[in-house]
Amino acid sequence: LDPFLRKVIVAVLSARDIFVPCILIFAIGIFYIAVAYIGYFDRNVCAHESVFFIRERLMLFSPDYLIQRIWVDKLFANASPWNLVLDPDTGHTTLGDRPPVLGGIALMFFAWIPQALEHYYFMAITTIASLSWIPAIWVISREVKLSSTRSALLVLALSQTFYFYFSSVFTWPKSLSGALVIGAFALLVLRPILSSRRASAAEIVMGGAFAGLSFLTHNSVMLLLLPIGLLLLAPRLFPGVRSSLLGTAIFAVLVIPYLTVKSLNEPSMSNLTKYTLTIPDTAPAEPEENKGLTTMGAIKKAYSGISMREIIDNKLYNIATIFRMGCFGRCDGTSMKKSEWDSEL
């Protein structure tokens, strides 16, 4: 071997925090792909119809796992990805709600593997990318001083749960987005707290980049990024005005260009966010009059016809539903259901 290449290999093998997670990703990835696909391969039938796991399990759950592939197909066909409704029954999710970060990872392999965009290769590559939860768990476990052996056992134990299996082979971007936001949390909050210091400039830059990429991958992580931002305002963690502006600038440089392009082509920067905040569970389809509204416009329209008492009652109902706690005042009729439209807002 070339002396330089030999040094690189020795350095990687001696760096346990790099080598072991890579081995875990490879081993768990092969296992997941084998369980999902081996035995159901048929080149003579359309890929979307030939795999039992895909047809009978994933498609019945949601078409979300195909979004990244559709993005790639649109890019290669030089076709517009905007205002393409992914779920005709509800009409609330468009292709633009899911930036092609995960699909872009597959595109990176296209230069070296021409088959990377074929269905099974694409699914395998995006499955491996969705295993980004492994280094995320590894980083957290090592930061809290678990040994490498215990960290590996923790990852192996989690890999046998259905949640992590499904989130890896069902190649929606939530797993990758979650891993990135964990990286931001580790850099900006966890490491400084454990070291009794504030985040360094390098950690701020990397944390801002991780936060921006996590938001682009799946914008629901804003529900986690906002608390992280609030934690950074604490005197013990606040990195200073200059560092805060630097991290914010990194985040903005990654996020704003895509949101600007999307807002110019679609009325709402996130149709899924608009749907979630404004459509009751008794009316799963988005009304036609809402499709041309911005998110804030739809929220204003939805809440304009109900009282503060009804709003509070409905929020208690939502909390009770999440935690399976019954229905608070909803069951005894204390909430005034004026119509199907405003009953769950």
Side-chain angles (χ1 to χ4, degrees):
L1 286 177
D2 179 78
F4 175 75
L5 183 59
R6 186 183 305 167
K7 288 182 180 180
V8 171
I9 293 174
V10 170
V12 171
L13 293 177
S14 60
R16 191 174 301 177
D17 288 328
I18 297 176
F19 177 67
V20 177
C22 288
I23 292 296
L24 288 170
I25 290 174
F26 177 79
I28 294 171
I30 294 297
F31 173 71
Y32 279 3
I33 292 170
V35 170
Y37 298 108
I38 286 181
Y40 303 112
F41 185 83
D42 184 359
R43 282 187 178 273
N44 298 318
V45 185
C46 174
H48 295 291
E49 299 293 336
S50 61
V51 179
F52 172 83
F53 181 82
I54 295 297
R55 185 185 63 203
E56 302 295 338
R57 295 293 182 263
L58 301 190
M59 280 300 287
L60 290 178
F61 179 74
S62 167
D64 280 13
Y65 82 101
L66 292 173
I67 292 176
Q68 299 298 308
R69 178 54 193 266
I70 296 172
W71 254 111
V72 171
D73 290 342
K74 288 289 183 182
L75 292 174
F76 267 75
N78 197 27
S80 172
W82 309 112
N83 296 297
L84 176 62
V85 177
L86 299 171
D87 191 346
D89 293 333
T90 60
H92 67 268
T93 304
T94 64
L95 189 63
D97 284 336
R98 296 287 182 271
V101 176
L102 191 58
I105 294 175
L107 282 174
M108 288 167 50
F109 287 86
F110 181 69
W112 298 282
I113 308 174
Q115 300 90 348
L117 300 186
E118 293 183 10
H119 182 74
Y120 293 100
Y121 287 95
F122 188 88
M123 295 297 288
I125 291 171
T126 50
T127 294
I128 296 297
S130 297
L131 290 171
S132 51
W133 63 265
I134 293 176
I137 296 296
W138 182 272
V139 166
I140 295 297
S141 61
R142 294 292 283 164
E143 285 295 329
V144 297
K145 308 304 180 185
L146 286 184
S147 66
S148 57
T149 300
R150 290 184 177 181
S151 299
L153 290 174
L154 174 61
V155 169
L156 288 172
L158 292 174
S159 72
Q160 301 308 299
T161 63
F162 180 75
Y163 173 82
F164 284 100
Y165 171 76
F166 181 81
S167 295
S168 300
V169 298
F170 187 85
T171 53
W172 53 3
K174 291 186 178 181
S175 180
L176 177 60
S177 180
L180 289 168
V181 80
I182 286 176
F185 173 78
L187 287 165
L188 299 175
V189 178
L190 185 61
R191 286 172 61 91
I193 286 179
L194 295 176
S195 304
S196 299
R197 59 177 177 81
R198 293 179 174 84
S200 65
E203 289 170 332
I204 291 292
V205 170
M206 292 178 63
F210 274 50
L213 289 173
S214 69
F215 180 82
L216 280 179
T217 306
H218 199 292
N219 56 31
S220 66
V221 298
M222 183 55 70
L223 297 174
L224 295 175
L225 294 177
L226 288 175
I228 291 175
L230 292 175
L231 286 173
L232 290 176
L233 295 178
R236 181 181 174 184
L237 291 174
F238 185 62
V241 175
R242 183 176 298 179
S243 294
S244 298
L245 291 175
L246 177 62
T248 303
I250 297 294
F251 179 88
V253 165
L254 291 170
V255 169
I256 289 179
Y258 181 82
L259 292 182
T260 301
V261 173
K262 186 179 186 303
S263 64
L264 292 175
N265 289 276
E266 296 184 359
S268 175
M269 286 194 295
S270 173
N271 291 283
L272 184 58
T273 301
K274 180 175 71 172
Y275 173 86
T276 303
L277 295 178
T278 62
I279 310 298
D281 57 11
T282 54
E286 183 177 12
E288 286 295 327
E289 61 269 21
N290 264 37
K291 293 182 179 179
L293 298 177
T294 64
T295 300
M296 291 307 299
I299 292 174
K300 182 178 179 180
K301 176 179 177 292
Y303 282 88
S304 61
I306 57 177
S307 67
M308 182 58 68
R309 176 68 185 88
E310 289 173 306
I311 293 174
I312 294 173
D313 181 51
N314 290 324
K315 297 313 171 187
L316 291 175
Y317 169 81
N318 292 341
I319 294 171
T321 301
I322 293 171
F323 293 101
R324 304 293 193 270
M325 296 165 56
C327 52
F328 287 117
R330 178 61 60 83
C331 293
D332 59 16
T334 56
S335 174
M336 297 298 292
K337 292 190 175 183
K338 296 167 61 179
S339 67
E340 256 194 352
W341 170 243
D342 62 21
S343 61
E344 306 297 339
L345 298 174

